[in-house]
Amino acid sequence: MTAPKALVAGNWKMNGLKASASELSKLNTLIQEKGAKCDVLICPPYTLINTFVSLNAKNVSIGAQDCHMNMSGAHTGDISAEMICDLGCEYIIVGHSERRADHGESNEIVKAKAVAAQSVGATAIICVGETIEQREAGQALQVVTTQVKASIPDSAKVENTIIAYEPVWAIGTGHTPTTGDVEEVHQAVRDVLQSRFGDAGRNIRILYGGSVKASNALELMSVKNVNGALVGGASLKADDFYGIISAYDKIG
Ligand code: PEP
């Protein structure tokens, strides 16, 4: 069975100003000239989505980092999935651990946001991951599989759903799990997906995220059931991000 095509996705978080569009142009040119064996996505802050989409960078999809669960209404400061798609985005990250922690987003809220994203034709990138306390208590598998079960809607399909396993303690810290630990969690997520969605569950992409950089990308991306990366800090500069993308030149 062939693995699903990998996706290397950049989450810019609350970083980037108009001038950062030059990094997107540079990334697009790097891919144009040197190639990419994976799909490539950048999720800038909302303020840059229109600028980035307007650049028409053919080698890089543009997505958003979150959406509201409702399509419109009295939700001051929020942005709906419909508004995001209206700008030309194809992907929306939901349930990032920073949103779960900073905004109290439960699995139920994350699931509702995933449904909102899917309902307007976007692919929901649903994030899950354990804290360091949970890992040290031997609860990582149970925490992650519980999050996956409760955050994925029944409407999940290969075309509209991606899971991102991001251990909270690995995000922005420079620490990464062992490849054995990554494999164990990704296999557990795959098992949940297969038992719930059958064939589709075999092909829904599962990304790894947490301190991925050019120097560790090949090792992490080569792990079984790792179908790409969700990258924070190392996605901000085109050269760094392309270093991760190019790991796929060496992965069969
Ligand atoms: C993230 O924010 O999703 C992430 C993985 O960040 P970093 O790559 O900086 O650890």
Side-chain angles (χ1 to χ4, degrees):
M1 193 190 61
T2 52
K5 188 171 183 195
L7 170 69
V8 173
N11 169 17
W12 277 27
K13 312 192 188 195
M14 197 170 69
N15 296 295
L17 299 172
K18 281 185 283 182
S20 320
S22 61
E23 293 299 328
L24 174 61
S25 300
K26 191 172 176 188
L27 179 64
N28 192 53
T29 305
L30 279 170
I31 297 172
Q32 192 67 40
E33 290 173 354
K34 299 187 184 184
K37 296 224 163 61
C38 55
D39 293 333
V40 178
L41 166 69
I42 293 280
C43 299
Y46 291 132
T47 48
L48 290 178
I49 289 177
N50 202 28
T51 309
F52 278 26
V53 170
S54 302
L55 273 178
N56 214 6
K58 299 250 181 290
N59 302 303
V60 185
S61 297
I62 304 300
Q65 299 171 18
D66 182 45
C67 66
H68 197 274
M69 67 174 86
N70 295 330
M71 286 304 159
S72 62
H75 303 288
T76 302
D78 281 315
I79 304 284
S80 76
E82 189 176 37
M83 293 166 175
I84 291 164
C85 275
D86 191 40
L87 293 177
C89 288
E90 299 160 58
Y91 297 84
I92 304 178
I93 298 170
V94 295
H96 190 282
S97 62
E98 287 153 15
R99 293 214 54 95
R100 288 180 187 260
D102 297 352
H103 301 271
E105 292 189 4
S106 63
N107 290 324
E108 290 67 33
I109 290 173
V110 173
K111 177 155 72 172
K113 289 182 174 206
V115 169
Q118 293 168 347
S119 73
V120 293
T123 297
I125 302 178
I126 302 171
C127 301
V128 295
E130 82 284 359
T131 63
I132 191 65
E133 292 78 18
Q134 291 164 332
R135 173 151 290 273
E136 285 174 357
Q139 297 167 348
L141 287 184
Q142 190 244 316
V143 166
V144 170
T145 53
T146 301
Q147 284 179 332
V148 170
K149 286 176 191 159
S151 304
I152 301 188
D154 290 336
S155 47
K157 298 184 178 58
V158 175
E159 308 76 48
N160 68 12
T161 304
I162 293 173
I163 306 300
Y165 167 55
E166 300 202 300
V168 178
W169 53 272
I171 294 178
T173 60
H175 300 299
T176 53
T178 64
T179 51
D181 286 342
V182 173
E183 180 168 352
E184 187 180 38
V185 176
H186 278 240
Q187 184 63 59
V189 173
R190 178 66 69 211
D191 291 345
V192 170
L193 294 174
Q194 273 187 228
S195 72
R196 179 145 159 217
F197 299 106
D199 271 355
R202 264 188 280 283
N203 289 304
I204 288 175
R205 292 184 278 194
I206 309 172
L207 313 184
Y208 167 78
S211 296
V212 178
K213 45 190 188 237
S215 58
N216 62 18
L218 180 59
E219 188 183 24
L220 288 164
M221 298 305 104
S222 300
V223 173
K224 189 179 171 208
N225 282 310
V226 173
N227 311 121
L230 182 53
V231 185
S235 69
L236 293 169
K237 293 283 173 220
D239 287 323
D240 296 343
F241 197 44
Y242 187 76
I244 296 169
I245 292 163
S246 61
Y248 276 96
D249 294 348
K250 304 193 185 80
I251 299 171

